[in-house]
Amino acid sequence: MLDIRVLRQDPEAVAAELARKHFVLDLEAFRALEAERRQLQEETERLQNARNVASKAIGQAKARGEDTAPLVAEVGDLGDRLDAVKARFTESQVRYQAFLAAIPNAPDPAVPAGRDERENQELRRWGTLPSFNFEPLDHVALAGGEAMDFERATRLTGSRFVVLRGELAQLHRALTQFMLDTHVREHGYQEVYVPYIVNADSLYGTGQLPKFADDQFRLAVDEAYYLIPTAEVPVTNLYRDEIIPADRLPIRHVCHTPCFRREAGSYGRDTRGMIRQHQFEKVELVQLVRPEDSTDALAALTGHAEAILKKLELPYRAVALCGGDLGFAAAMTIDLEVWLPGQQAYREISSCSNFRDFQARRLQARYRHPDTGKPELVHTLNGSGLAVGRTLVAILENFQDGDRHVHVPDVLRPYLGGIGRLELGRA
């Protein structure tokens, strides 16, 4: 959530910043809500003061032995009027908070201008694109069937699910373990295990609710709970309504979870294969830092995700998202896109974002400033390190040999019992 003090001080400037995200801030509605809030707050304070004065007068009249009935009647009327104004003020605050909750984070000044993903800015590339003496297959043509079974998954559940068997299932598990080990041992993250079901407050805190309610899987048996769309939600919410000692910052957590998304806004997109599914797994990186450190923290976190791609020898590029492609809660995002020969395209495999104090304000996640002793909002960041299924897809497509065999990157072989080649002809 944006700082309401900044919004009140200069709403036009905030509107101009949000326009870079192609979000239109309704200034007329904001001013109306703000005027209503001020009027009701002033009326509440006036009536409270009048009741206090009348109550004091009653006490004085009693002390003098005078008839207090007229004053008591006046106080009763003031009480009824005060209760009515308080009720109107509460209703106004609900509308006000709903209005504020729908406003996205303002983009960082360094975010490039642009309307959509076609105007994102490439920052760098790494690795050499593979050269084949055959027509490379996509992962479905390469492994679909027994090893990567979409037909049975559809029978079990529905579309956009998959069953992995044999060496592919082992590769999926190996990738997860390799990523976790690298981030814990080399990048200094603390691994955490969290619930896969959260309440609405958690989704509100990280910005998925109320705007993206249609993308969430809500439990029918108890509608107070949701399946997590990403580990970002439970991990960041570990510090909701807490004041963190300054010497604990920065906090770095890594977490492996399944992720559940309805993909309500993506019907018709990436319906083939494992690129966009309702259930998938990620190794997520989450950081909480002091405000002055968040810019450097984003660069470091992105580098940690890149290190996984480099160790796996997967060619990729880093892309700065333009304002129009930036997520609701993000102030700045760098996407890592891995090369997929089967599509002859780079596809997102990690999205690394700095939310500044936007999530922390919703969460009330704070630290105690060592100089002032006062609580201040932390800055939050997260990114995939990496999406496990898409990494598996990238390995299959980049290391295929034309004979339904796939070379296993060296760093993964210890996690696969020394296996150096996958034979996709058998499950």
Side-chain angles (χ1 to χ4, degrees), residues 165-228:
R165 296 174 185 264
E167 291 179 342
L168 276 195
Q170 294 174 51
L171 176 61
H172 193 273
R173 173 165 50 86
L175 281 166
T176 301
Q177 192 64 54
F178 159 68
M179 293 174 190
L180 288 170
D181 286 348
T182 300
H183 293 310
V184 170
R185 297 170 184 174
E186 299 182 20
H187 301 150
Y189 287 81
Q190 180 191 59
E191 184 176 355
V192 291
Y193 171 82
V194 294
Y196 302 159
I197 297 173
V198 293
N199 55 34
D201 286 344
S202 295
L203 286 162
Y204 174 84
T206 45
Q208 281 79 16
L209 290 181
K211 183 174 177 60
F212 301 105
D214 289 345
D215 280 332
Q216 313 308 318
F217 277 108
R218 192 170 189 173
L219 301 187
V221 291
D222 190 335
E223 292 192 354
Y225 296 110
Y226 298 78
L227 296 175
I228 61 169

Side-chain angles (χ1 to χ4, degrees), residues 141-157:
L142 188 63
E146 287 292 307
M148 184 181 289
D149 193 338
F150 297 100
E151 182 180 347
R152 286 186 174 88
T154 300
R155 191 188 311 159
L156 291 173
T157 309

Side-chain angles (χ1 to χ4, degrees), residues 243-278:
I243 300 176
I244 305 164
D247 59 6
R248 285 195 61 194
L249 297 177
I251 290 172
R252 289 180 172 181
H253 288 316
V254 61
C255 185
H256 162 244
T257 66
C259 306
F260 306 92
R261 298 183 187 178
R262 291 179 62 191
E263 299 287 0
S266 64
Y267 289 120
R269 293 180 58 195
D270 296 318
T271 56
R272 178 176 169 82
M274 289 182 62
I275 296 298
R276 192 181 298 274
Q277 297 201 296
H278 293 307

